[in-house]
Amino acid sequence: MEEHDPLRGRDWEESATVLTAGSEDPFAAAWYLTTNRVWPLVAHPVRGPIVLGVVLFMLIVAMVIFSPSTDSRFIYTDF
Amino acid sequence: MERRALIVARWWLALPVCALLLVLFDVPLHFWRPQPTRLPENFSAAYLERVCDDLSRGPEPIIVLGDSVLWGYKLPASDAPIAILARMLPGERIANLSYEGGSIVNDDVLLRYLLARGVRPKAVITNINSKEFNILDSAYNTLYPSLGYAAQGVLTSSDALMLQRHVDDSVNGRLSRAVASVWLLYGFRADIKQMLFKGADAASAADAWFEHLSGAERRRAAEHRVTPDRFLGVYDLSPIARSTNIEYKYLIDFRNELIRRHIPTLAFLTPTNHQLLGEYIDNDAYTSNLRLIRESFSGPDIRTVNFDRAIPYRDFIDNDHMSVRGSERLAFLLGNALEKRHL
């Protein structure tokens, strides 16, 4: 007999635990969302690679934009 | 084993997805044609290339080559002298290519670069700042890094010997330039950061933000006093050595190039705050160096005017940078001189 999982099902996502984040068990909520929502998307044969590609793209753009300026800049004397 | 290979194959599919997105992201950058009121505080070689290419099309522009005085140091772009001048001459296409850290050395190389890229200036406006003939000046023989990269093709072996260029020739530097030449997001990164953070990068923006919040910026501004002692040694009063002074050598090269190409030129000696610097520069040595510079920078199509004492001291914010009022005065003087020159 399947063990009863109180966290399973959409109703749980709209429950007080999730809506008032951190009030009851944030770790359980995070685990639930990772295993039941994120992982199925990532493991999907078509959507998975697309999601990973988008994440990689965002990482690369962020690295370019937020990296420190390494170009030698002209040091202007401010009097 | 088969299942693992399948998973790996799926992950590999992510790479073309990422590459496709990067290519799509580059498309708008490919069509980006910057037409700035003045060059940004930080700009890349790719940006300079784009601006120059744009100037090579359409009506012949009046090109402004100069240093921070013409750029409008500490002034909003719309209050810089050239922006005011452009409003006074609405029929003219004026491109302000001056920047902080400019000098005659930079002007000469930038002019050669512009001509090589097919820009045909209707006229050139430039300022000659006597402090830049001082070997200790930071712009004396130093090219702005982006110009150093962009203008590599026009630099001669003599330039390579005399000029300082901050060009990274390590494997990392070469690889970076190779990537920048094919990937526009990377090539324009300095310009994107400048637009997003109004500075060199996110770290500088965060630093400025914290300083603003903590009140350090306000305290520093309140404590900041422009006193003569800050300018001790800024102006070299020994006679300019014609044979060894690199800035002077490039002044002559710049003049010769302008004459050879028949480009009408209006040059002016940079207005200087004599009230502040009087004890250092109100003497014959300073005057005779100015005279030499003015006499050397002359030719059939070149008019050099002396604005050294043209701006009242109250319109300066330091030795040669001006307030909005000073900027308006300079624009007015330039407008008058252009009218007399019939450029």
Side-chain angles (χ1 to χ4, degrees):
Chain A
M1 192 176 162
E2 198 179 325
E3 199 176 317
H4 173 67
D5 182 358
L7 299 178
R8 183 165 290 176
R10 274 195 68 79
D11 290 349
W12 184 84
E13 286 180 61
E14 290 155 14
S15 72
T17 308
V18 171
L19 295 178
T20 55
S23 63
E24 287 185 34
D25 192 350
F27 296 107
W31 179 249
Y32 169 78
L33 288 173
T34 307
T35 54
N36 288 272
R37 290 287 174 262
V38 179
W39 180 249
L41 188 66
V42 171
H44 193 275
V46 179
R47 289 179 201 151
I50 294 174
V51 168
L52 185 67
V54 172
V55 170
L56 263 176
F57 163 75
M58 288 166 73
L59 271 175
I60 291 171
V61 171
M63 275 163 61
V64 171
I65 291 175
F66 289 99
S67 62
S69 182
T70 50
D71 283 351
S72 304
R73 291 171 55 228
F74 186 85
I75 307 300
Y76 186 77
T77 314
D78 187 354
F79 293 108
Chain B
M1 194 64 194
E2 235 175 67
R3 183 179 154 77
R4 193 178 165 186
L6 196 66
I7 291 170
V8 170
R10 281 176 188 164
W11 289 117
W12 273 108
L13 277 174
L15 293 179
V17 171
C18 176
L20 179 71
L21 287 171
L22 288 172
V23 169
L24 289 175
F25 202 77
D26 260 17
V27 171
L29 288 175
H30 186 75
F31 294 103
W32 183 39
R33 295 279 173 269
Q35 292 177 327
T37 313
R38 65 180 176 190
L39 289 174
E41 206 172 324
N42 298 282
F43 59 90
S44 65
Y47 186 94
L48 187 62
E49 199 178 298
R50 280 285 168 91
V51 170
C52 293
D53 285 349
D54 191 57
L55 291 172
S56 67
R57 291 185 286 266
E60 290 180 345
I62 295 178
I63 300 289
V64 180
L65 303 171
D67 60 16
S68 53
V69 172
L70 279 175
W71 184 79
Y73 176 71
K74 295 251 169 138
L75 291 174
S78 59
D79 288 334
I82 299 306
I84 299 170
L85 181 69
R87 290 199 288 275
M88 287 163 59
L89 305 168
E92 296 290 352
R93 185 185 187 199
I94 302 181
N96 188 0
L97 299 187
S98 52
Y99 46 81
E100 288 184 88
S103 61
I104 293 296
V105 161
N106 283 266
D107 297 345
D108 180 47
V109 174
L110 184 50
L111 177 69
R112 281 189 267 153
Y113 176 67
L114 284 163
L115 295 170
R117 290 203 80 86
V119 180
R120 296 285 165 262
K122 181 182 177 186
V124 163
I125 299 174
T126 188
N127 73 316
I128 307 173
N129 200 331
S130 62
K131 75 173 184 188
E132 285 149 16
F133 288 78
N134 184 351
I135 195 167
L136 299 176
D137 189 272
S138 47
Y140 170 72
N141 63 339
T142 308
L143 284 185
Y144 190 91
S146 304
L147 179 63
Y149 283 121
Q152 282 193 84
V154 299
L155 294 178
T156 61
S157 49
S158 152
D159 293 324
L161 282 174
M162 276 188 273
L163 301 183
Q164 281 195 13
R165 294 187 300 140
H166 295 289
V167 173
D168 181 3
D169 272 330
S170 65
V171 175
N172 190 29
R174 285 165 195 264
L175 190 65
S176 176
R177 285 199 291 283
V179 172
S181 65
V182 291
W183 182 19
L184 296 180
L185 172 69
Y186 190 74
F188 285 120
R189 66 194 183 285
D191 315 293
I192 294 169
K193 287 175 195 177
Q194 176 66 39
M195 274 190 285
L196 290 176
F197 307 121
K198 309 283 177 224
D201 50 29
S204 328
D207 192 39
W209 189 64
F210 283 124
E211 285 210 342
H212 179 73
L213 283 184
S214 66
E217 183 194 8
R218 223 173 18 255
R219 278 196 300 278
R220 205 173 35 247
E223 284 164 11
H224 185 70
R225 295 276 180 279
V226 180
T227 48
D229 56 294
R230 288 173 182 265
F231 302 94
L232 184 64
V234 167
Y235 293 83
D236 184 2
L237 298 181
S238 56
I240 294 171
R242 299 179 197 213
S243 53
T244 54
N245 190 291
I246 293 175
E247 187 78 356
Y248 185 80
K249 189 252 174 212
Y250 278 85
L251 180 79
I252 301 304
D253 286 357
F254 186 38
R255 178 201 67 184
N256 292 344
E257 188 69 17
L258 290 164
I259 293 173
R260 201 164 66 82
R261 303 276 188 157
H262 305 290
I263 300 172
T265 302
L266 173 66
F268 66 93
L269 302 182
T270 305
T272 307
N273 186 348
H274 280 264
Q275 176 87 3
L276 178 74
L277 305 173
E279 62 181 291
Y280 304 130
I281 63 171
D282 284 349
N283 51 51
D284 290 344
Y286 178 80
T287 313
S288 80
N289 275 344
L290 280 193
R291 195 181 308 121
L292 172 68
I293 292 168
R294 192 177 175 191
E295 285 169 3
S296 302
F297 202 72
S298 61
D301 292 315
I302 300 174
R303 182 179 178 217
T304 304
V305 288
N306 187 354
F307 288 168
D308 180 52
R309 291 175 182 267
I311 304 288
Y313 73 91
R314 59 182 176 279
D315 294 336
F316 285 96
I317 56 168
D318 55 26
N319 60 323
D320 54 9
H321 301 113
M322 284 160 261
S323 63
V324 176
R325 199 177 151 81
S327 178
E328 284 168 352
R329 280 180 192 274
L330 179 57
F332 181 74
L333 289 168
L334 286 172
N336 267 349
L338 281 172
E339 214 167 84
K340 284 181 192 159
R341 186 72 183 82
H342 304 297
L343 292 177

